[in-house]
Amino acid sequence: MLDPIIELQDLTKKYDQFIAVNRLSLSIQKGEVFGLLGPNGAGKSTTILMMLGLSEPTSGSVRVCGINSTREPILVKQKVGYLPDDVGFYEDLTGYENLIYTAELNRLSKEEAIRRAKELLARVGLSDAADKKAGAYSRGMRQRLGLADVLIKQPEVIILDEPTLGIDPAGVKELLQLIQRLSRDEGITVLLSSHHLHQVQQICDRVGIFVQGRLLAVGDVSALSRQLFAEDLFILEVGVKQLSPDLIEQLMQIDDVTSVKQNNELLFISCSRDLTGEIAETIVRSGARLTYLNQKQYGLDEIYHRYFERGEVK
Amino acid sequence: MKAKLISPFWVMVRKEMADHMRSWRYNLMLLLIGLTCLGSLYTAMMSIREAVPKDQTLNAFLFLKLFTVSDGTLPPFITFIGFLGPLLGISLGFDAVNSERNKGTLSRVMAQPIHRDFLIGAKFVGALILISMMFLSLGFLVMGLGLLAIGIPPSAEEFLRMLLFLLLSIIYVGFWLSLAILFSIKFRQSATSALSSLSIWLFFSVFFTMLIQLIANATAPVNATNPNDILQHQQFIQVIMSLSPSQLFSEATTTLLTPTVRSLGPLTLEQVYGAIPSPLPLGQSMLLIWPQVTGMIAATLVCFGISYAYFMRQEIRSR
């Protein structure tokens, strides 16, 4: 745990007056799968560009594999594979030719390039489509070819920007499993950015939540949500007719219910464990009519909102 | 083992060339220029008989006439190159960078361990190599056909003059190429950059001469009695004329291919007096057009330099 492969210190990027990344400090260990979570425009891509030396930080420093990315981008790019979001390929070349081209730009010998391209195409499941023009590839295929493209230089770190964007659920699952296998089998460090918590939490060892250029929290997913939602892990949305004020009182009496909010005929009940049964029973016994009951799941949205609330309280 | 590896720069150049050669655009331009070149060669051969001077002193440069004479139905070869060359340069360069950006390949290529300037360098060099190949082969084709048709072999000097003419044409097209690449970096849409380059080309090839006419008429000395005034005015017009790259090109190539051209500016009667009406040697012709050549190279380098500076500072975002 003492071997950070990506180290960001007080990294800041300003565009005129707009602060895209604000004093970001983060270190990622070797072999880790790290998820950078945040809404669009949070500064995820900007951070990634700075790691690759494609964009210059206003202040602060980036070290990847012990190399300063701003000073020595070429050395960093030899060791880091980067898959941009919505990756593009040369459309009149085949998938195979695209890979060979990337291999040659990485100074691989012809034989090595051919061998690795074939092996990787098989690995990402594109052997059949290898001789098809890349222009005819579907979005999911492009993303898988992108993964092969990143791996052809045998990187120590791969950085994936929104790898799951625009792919169907089956494709997402497949891609994520592929990424996980890579990290496990070859010890490659993976940094991926996304705005889908539930997709990323399946494979990430740790995630960082990144909103408006600031890193709000870092940790593994379960610890993060336990820490965030310690008091009200569950929210029930209940539709009730003929509601009496007593009922709200009664609901508040139930153990582990932390708050009840009313909005016309809708009640929002937060509780620290699953109390759906008890709450339904209470409502029915009070003589009110239960019309609808829904247990809400926490998405990334709620996490952001939660953090915003806290941020403003501070 | 190490020696077998090609530098990534040449890998990129090779890919650029392969892309162009497979493209419709390049092949259409090749066809167009090839056809006009054969057409102008045909008219030149039809009219070369009249171009042979009656006295035997000047027919030494008959071979060069293949490039310059015409019977009026089709313009001669140098006019065609002057007209179509810019179009070729623009068509090879106008979407060099922005198409990569729009297809999302730019950020992927930039994430490879290569210097950033490799990309525009490779775009420029790749296209320039293709242009050189096209011009040299067309030039030699014209020479070969001309040799077969008129049966007089070119002298060494004629051959050198023709080579220099081809080289000048390549530099001239290189200027338009680098201008188009500059616009392709500046504008996100390839249509915008194509139209901007074309409008500059149209401006210089059509409107610029009209504009010069206007300025010349407006600034002409009122009472043209003082020869110094007239001379000054003439020189002033020449200075603004030379702002146009097509003007530089046509002055330079005319001088090269017509050795009898002795000066590009006005000559007074005293200067002409006593001169022997003989063609200039190659060295003297080169001296005469040196400013034009320098101007063209400088314009190319300025365009490329601006593109370079602009591209290095641009942020590479995906799409």
Side-chain angles (χ1 to χ4, degrees), chain A residues 15 46 55 77 85 88 90 106, chain B residues 100 110 112-113 315 317-318:
Chain A
Y15 293 104
T46 310
S55 175
K77 287 191 278 187
D85 71 312
Y90 293 110
N106 281 285
Chain B
E100 295 243 0
M110 283 295 114
Q112 309 307 330
E315 193 161 83
R317 289 242 163 214
S318 44

Side-chain angles (χ1 to χ4, degrees), chain A residues 121-171:
Chain A
L121 280 168
R123 194 151 181 193
V124 298
L126 285 176
S127 290
D128 296 335
D131 294 322
K132 256 188 10 183
K133 294 260 159 92
Y137 278 26
S138 70
R139 179 89 198 227
M141 287 162 87
R142 265 207 330 257
Q143 215 67 338
R144 278 185 285 160
L145 182 62
L147 205 55
D149 184 72
V150 160
L151 291 171
I152 203 155
K153 63 168 96 157
Q154 296 176 289
E156 289 175 28
V157 181
I158 56 178
I159 297 178
L160 313 170
D161 198 357
E162 301 278 5
T164 57
L165 202 67
I167 314 181
D168 60 66

